[in-house]
Amino acid sequence: MRYGVVGTGYWGKNHVRVAKELMDDGELDEVVLCDTDEGRASSLAETYDLPYVTDIGNLDVDAATVATPSTTHRTVGLSMLERGIDLLVEKPLALTSRDAWDIVEAAEDNDCTLGVGHIFRYHPALVALKRRIDRGELGRIKYLQTRRFSFRVPRTTTGVLYSLAVHDVDIYDYLLGRRPDTVHGQLDSFVRENIVETATITLEYGNTSGVINSSWQVPVFDKKRDLVVVGSNRSAYVDYLQNTKLELFDAEVFSDPDDGLKSRNDGAISHNTDKREPLKMEVSAFIEASKKGEQPPADGAVGARAVETLEYAEESARKKSVVPVDRTNAVEQF
């Protein structure tokens, strides 16, 4: 398989490294880089001893990663899919749900494999947590909370909604195996006009609530990326900056026929999972799906639904009210 990496900037260079490792492992026959910035492309190409081009029209490959700016995903994606090239597009799939579904439709029309870079579906601790939830070990899931905090100058193109919260709206769908019923969003832009720097999103899944807190304006922590899942029998904690650690808290509130409501807290147990890099797992899963003519776990529909949920959050913020999620025409696959 000839594989391309389109976009070799901040995150794209990690895709270049992983693709080269997979080539060295025998999963790929050749890797070609593509970037309109020739200086950047040639520098990475020299580092990894790989060929490069500066125009996607000259990129002759079977499959590729698209790690260009989000604003270009529709144009780049449609151009390559129309040539029959299987694509792994970094998140968000697009900046509007209409563009996202256009990319999904183009993949279907051209019989292409389409993956989206929702990398946390490959995070070892999160995958282990998903298995335990599905087995019922946590009981009924009552509440989820995510924090993604840092302190930085907001980007000029996309805010935290499409840069950070996009991960978590998909993670909640993944863990619960369904889409939310309602969305409420509070979005703040104080530093750059129309660039969201702080987002608070509440998702309701039946009788389960999920709260997402994302901000680039919190100097209290060096960097915070974590998840809490509260179940009726057990609760879980994942620090996303530690790929392999899952903490389970054996605690519950229960009804005692003699004493009424009582609580039990038997403490926490840490579980270590496989030491595997999420990005490498993601790209490898996409390559395997591409070779088989199938779709990867995080396929195009997953990416488009995540963008839809972000649009519901934007609608809610404009209306200052909770908005329902319309699933009339949605394909529910988790």
Side-chain angles (χ1 to χ4, degrees), residues 48-167:
Y48 291 102
D49 191 23
L50 298 171
Y52 75 92
V53 298
T54 57
D55 187 331
I56 58 172
N58 297 325
L59 187 63
D60 181 18
V61 293
D62 304 301
T65 289
V66 174
T68 58
S70 304
T71 51
T72 69
H73 285 183
R74 184 182 191 279
T75 301
V76 172
L78 295 184
S79 174
M80 298 183 73
L81 290 168
E82 287 167 1
R83 293 166 53 201
I85 300 173
D86 294 339
L87 293 184
L88 171 61
V89 182
E90 263 304 333
K91 61 79 194 165
L93 178 55
L95 293 180
T96 70
S97 60
R98 176 175 295 181
D99 286 350
W101 285 114
D102 282 348
I103 296 172
V104 173
E105 183 177 352
E108 293 173 349
D109 290 346
N110 293 281
D111 196 25
C112 290
T113 296
L114 176 62
V116 184
H118 284 287
I119 192 170
F120 287 93
R121 288 192 176 223
Y122 303 89
H123 190 287
L126 196 69
V127 171
L129 174 57
K130 167 67 171 172
R131 287 197 299 265
R132 291 176 181 273
I133 289 174
D134 289 348
R135 289 199 297 258
E137 292 185 22
L138 276 69
R140 180 179 69 81
I141 304 303
K142 300 188 291 186
Y143 177 72
L144 306 93
Q145 177 178 286
T146 298
R147 298 180 296 177
R148 292 184 187 271
F149 295 149
S150 61
F151 186 69
R152 54 165 292 174
V153 174
R155 296 175 183 173
T156 58
T157 53
T158 57
V160 296
L161 195 63
Y162 287 83
S163 298
L164 299 181
V166 62
H167 286 301

Side-chain angles (χ1 to χ4, degrees), residues 182-186 200-203 312-313 316-317 320-323:
T182 64
V183 179
H184 181 263
Q186 173 66 46
T200 303
I201 304 170
T202 302
L203 308 172
Y312 282 119
S316 169
K320 299 186 183 301
S321 65
V322 175
V323 297

Side-chain angles (χ1 to χ4, degrees), residues 3 5 14-24 28 31 283:
Y3 197 82
V5 178
N14 292 315
H15 276 280
V16 173
R17 171 185 57 79
V18 166
K20 179 63 163 63
E21 291 175 1
L22 292 174
M23 186 178 77
D24 292 342
L28 297 171
V31 175
V283 177

